[in-house]
Amino acid sequence: MELPISFKERMQRLLADEFSNFEAAFAQPASVSIRVNSNKATANPDLPRVPWAENAYYLPVRPQFTLDPLLHAGCYYVQEASSMFLEQALKQAVDLSQPLHVLDLCGAPGGKSTHLASLISEESMLVSNEVIKSRANILAENVAKWGTGNVLVTSSDPSNFSRLPEFFDVMVVDAPCSGEGMFRKDPQAINEWSEENVKLCAQRQQRILMDVWEALKPGGLLIYSTCTWNEQENEENMAWLAAQEQAESIKLELNQSWGIVATELNGVAGYRFYPHRIQGEGFFMAVLRKQGQEGLSHKSSKKKKYKLQPASKKEKALVQDWLKDPEKYEWLQYGEVVSALPANLFEAADEVYQNLHVIYAGTEVAEVKGKKLKPMHTLAVSQHLNKDAFTTIDLDLELALKYLRKEDISLDSSGNDWVLLQYNNVPLGFAKQIGNRVNNYYPKEWRIRMELPADLPEVNLVIS
């Protein structure tokens, strides 16, 4: 791998005697890591752990993840290990037992958003944003599969968040960057790299930070990260923001065995991940606290007219038993879709709807078709699904993958009702049984597109 000359020169200055080990790491294969959804699955105890994240593991080889139905069911997420350091920032600097408003500004494809959803309390709300519509749809898919039900996925420009002043307790900005830390994993990133692009990225990051800063409440926390190593996009940007807004740098405790490098510029602490020191790719993180009185009160727009519309009593009565603890939800209806949102989040969620473009929220439960109701796929993968409300059928690996490819399948049963299809007792989605015929209702935009091999490998990474 031929690294850019100016990049090598800078890294030699930064790393001194360590540079030869750093350069040699690019010849090694990238590690493979997953983060397990503990509300759906139990990890294989023989897998080595990612040391800074509780439910994260390294895999010895990279399997064909597409052929594992448990991935599609939201049992785990394939995520780069370095980025999971987000967990340490949250656990060390935030009281996660409190009801929080959290923003993941650059959320796609969903690694940090699903991680945040696992860390915050059920009473908290996560707004997961992605400005690019196509990527926002992928983000919504992964959030729905994770299934916590307290996430709103938005597709809005960072400048729009000024409409929600002092709204968020925590902001995560995994900023678009020059991608130096991904050179080993994505060699194409080398061809796109230049000193000019580094400068442009640093300027763009400053604009993004200033666009959203007003939405962070006094005493709130900004967690900033990139997958690059240059100081312009990292330490210099954080020192600039701290000086501009008199923000406080938050230092995190590190275990020396982790191999993470702590840095400091103008009193602002940062944390660097190098592939020759840790089992993962390049990464940087810093944590700042906004100046002002800390507290959990949120400003309200005090609009008396809500944008969110309640579902009718009739529709609510028909679908409320499809979720566990139905009394905990506000039941809403947009067009033909009936959704459930935790009742304590209703007013805050309505503020988000009033000011941002929301593409997915809570748990979409059912689609109303005249006098008929169709259970939504997002209900099947929700952590709050009441499985007792449906007939369940367990599929073997071959049938599960055919279902996920949205192929016609046959079941050894008959009837005239909705059935919940499972794999290893984990829900995959719904089908409609009409006599001996089965209609496959797996979402066509989520379907597996690869051809299935003749001999299917049994992918058993997660369930012990």
Side-chain angles (χ1 to χ4, degrees):
M1 184 179 293
E2 192 59 41
L3 299 172
I5 294 173
S6 59
F7 168 77
K8 288 174 66 172
E9 290 173 347
R10 170 163 43 79
M11 296 309 296
Q12 284 175 320
R13 291 195 301 271
L14 275 173
L15 293 170
D17 294 342
E18 290 188 47
F19 178 76
S20 58
N21 291 334
F22 168 79
E23 191 173 28
F26 285 89
Q28 302 302 314
S31 62
V32 183
S33 48
I34 61 171
R35 186 172 38 75
V36 175
N37 188 341
S38 60
N39 288 312
K40 291 189 175 185
T42 303
N44 184 333
D46 296 330
L47 293 175
R49 291 176 174 267
V50 176
W52 43 82
E54 186 175 353
N55 293 306
Y57 303 85
Y58 292 107
L59 304 183
V61 294
R62 187 178 188 89
Q64 284 189 299
F65 285 113
T66 304
L67 299 180
D68 186 3
L70 298 179
L71 173 71
H72 302 278
C75 287
Y76 63 95
Y77 192 97
V78 184
Q79 185 178 358
E80 206 285 302
S82 300
S83 67
M84 299 183 203
F85 188 66
L86 172 65
E87 183 167 322
Q88 291 300 315
L90 266 291
K91 287 184 173 179
Q92 292 188 37
V94 180
D95 184 355
L96 293 172
S97 67
Q98 295 294 319
L100 304 168
H101 294 171
V102 180
L103 170 65
D104 184 7
L105 182 68
C106 311
K112 290 183 179 65
S113 288
T114 54
H115 200 175
L116 288 163
S118 290
L119 292 168
I120 61 178
S121 67
E122 285 188 10
E123 294 74 31
S124 297
M125 180 178 73
L126 171 64
V127 175
S128 184
N129 183 70
E130 173 56 49
V131 66
I132 301 171
K133 181 66 184 304
S134 59
R135 287 170 54 82
N137 290 331
I138 295 169
L139 172 62
E141 175 183 340
N142 286 321
V143 162
K145 287 177 178 177
W146 206 251
T148 57
N150 58 347
V151 183
L152 279 69
V153 178
T154 60
S155 184
S156 295
D157 189 83
S159 61
N160 294 338
F161 284 83
S162 61
R163 302 169 187 168
L164 292 168
E166 299 181 12
F167 186 82
F168 293 102
D169 302 282
V170 179
M171 254 182 210
V172 176
V173 179
D174 185 37
C177 69
S178 58
E180 297 166 354
M182 302 303 290
F183 281 178
R184 178 171 68 172
K185 200 170 183 181
D186 180 16
Q188 179 61 30
I190 297 175
N191 299 328
E192 297 171 358
W193 184 91
S194 69
E195 292 287 0
E196 182 61 25
N197 191 40
V198 167
K199 182 180 178 181
L200 291 173
C201 285
Q203 293 170 346
R204 182 185 182 192
Q205 290 151 2
Q206 290 186 2
R207 288 195 302 271
I208 289 172
L209 290 167
M210 294 313 297
D211 279 343
V212 298
W213 188 254
E214 187 179 352
L216 183 63
K217 72 170 191 178
L221 213 68
L222 168 73
I223 302 172
Y224 174 85
S225 62
T226 70
C227 57
T228 205
W229 289 301
N230 67 78
E231 300 99 320
Q232 286 174 270
E233 298 179 67
N234 295 325
E235 287 90 349
E236 290 179 16
N237 265 351
M238 288 295 93
W240 167 82
L241 181 62
Q244 180 103 349
E245 299 294 337
Q246 290 79 54
E248 174 194 2
S249 174
I250 302 297
K251 289 189 176 182
L252 305 177
E253 294 183 9
L254 301 178
N255 186 316
Q256 190 174 0
S257 67
W258 293 350
I260 301 166
V261 176
T263 67
E264 188 170 306
L265 178 64
N266 297 342
V268 178
Y271 305 93
R272 287 174 162 260
F273 292 68
Y274 293 110
H276 67 290
R277 281 179 155 262
I278 56 100
Q279 194 175 345
E281 304 309 302
F283 189 67
F284 171 86
M285 180 176 284
V287 185
L288 296 179
R289 192 179 302 282
K290 189 174 184 178
Q291 188 182 47
Q293 183 64 39
E294 189 173 353
L296 288 171
S297 61
H298 302 96
K299 282 191 173 182
S300 173
S301 59
K302 297 183 179 178
K303 293 183 175 70
K304 292 184 179 179
K305 185 177 180 181
Y306 291 111
K307 189 168 184 178
L308 295 174
Q309 299 297 317
S312 71
K313 290 182 180 179
K314 176 186 174 183
E315 263 108 28
K316 176 183 173 183
L318 289 170
V319 303
Q320 63 179 0
D321 290 338
W322 293 359
L323 287 180
K324 294 178 281 189
D325 303 320
E327 69 283 352
K328 291 167 54 175
Y329 301 96
E330 289 282 352
W331 294 83
L332 310 169
Q333 185 164 353
Y334 257 94
E336 297 178 331
V337 176
V338 177
S339 298
L341 190 73
N344 68 298
L345 302 181
F346 176 81
E347 291 206 5
D350 192 77
E351 275 199 78
V352 175
Y353 267 89
Q354 297 273 8
N355 292 287
L356 303 174
H357 177 54
V358 180
I359 63 172
Y360 183 83
T363 304
E364 292 185 349
V365 176
E367 185 178 2
V368 182
K369 291 285 190 181
K371 295 182 179 180
K372 297 181 180 180
L373 286 172
K374 183 183 90 173
M376 300 288 286
H377 179 74
T378 47
L379 170 68
V381 291
S382 169
Q383 296 177 18
H384 309 288
L385 166 71
N386 178 18
K387 289 169 63 172
D388 294 337
F390 298 95
T391 300
T392 57
I393 297 177
D394 232 52
L395 306 179
D396 61 21
L397 178 61
E398 182 177 4
L399 265 183
L401 291 173
K402 285 184 176 180
Y403 171 74
L404 294 169
R405 277 176 50 82
K406 203 171 171 60
E407 294 181 8
D408 292 333
I409 60 172
S410 297
L411 304 174
D412 294 329
S413 62
S414 63
N416 188 24
D417 204 357
W418 292 98
V419 291
L420 179 66
L421 302 181
Q422 303 187 130
Y423 175 75
N424 279 13
N425 205 36
V426 176
L428 294 179
F430 290 105
K432 183 70 179 290
Q433 195 152 5
I434 305 170
N436 294 321
R437 184 164 59 86
V438 178
N439 288 345
N440 186 337
Y441 277 87
Y442 193 76
K444 63 181 180 180
E445 63 273 15
W446 293 10
R447 71 190 185 279
I448 295 175
R449 289 172 171 80
M450 72 174 286
E451 293 295 325
L452 301 182
D455 296 318
L456 289 173
E458 188 73 44
V459 184
N460 190 13
L461 305 172
V462 179
I463 301 297
S464 59

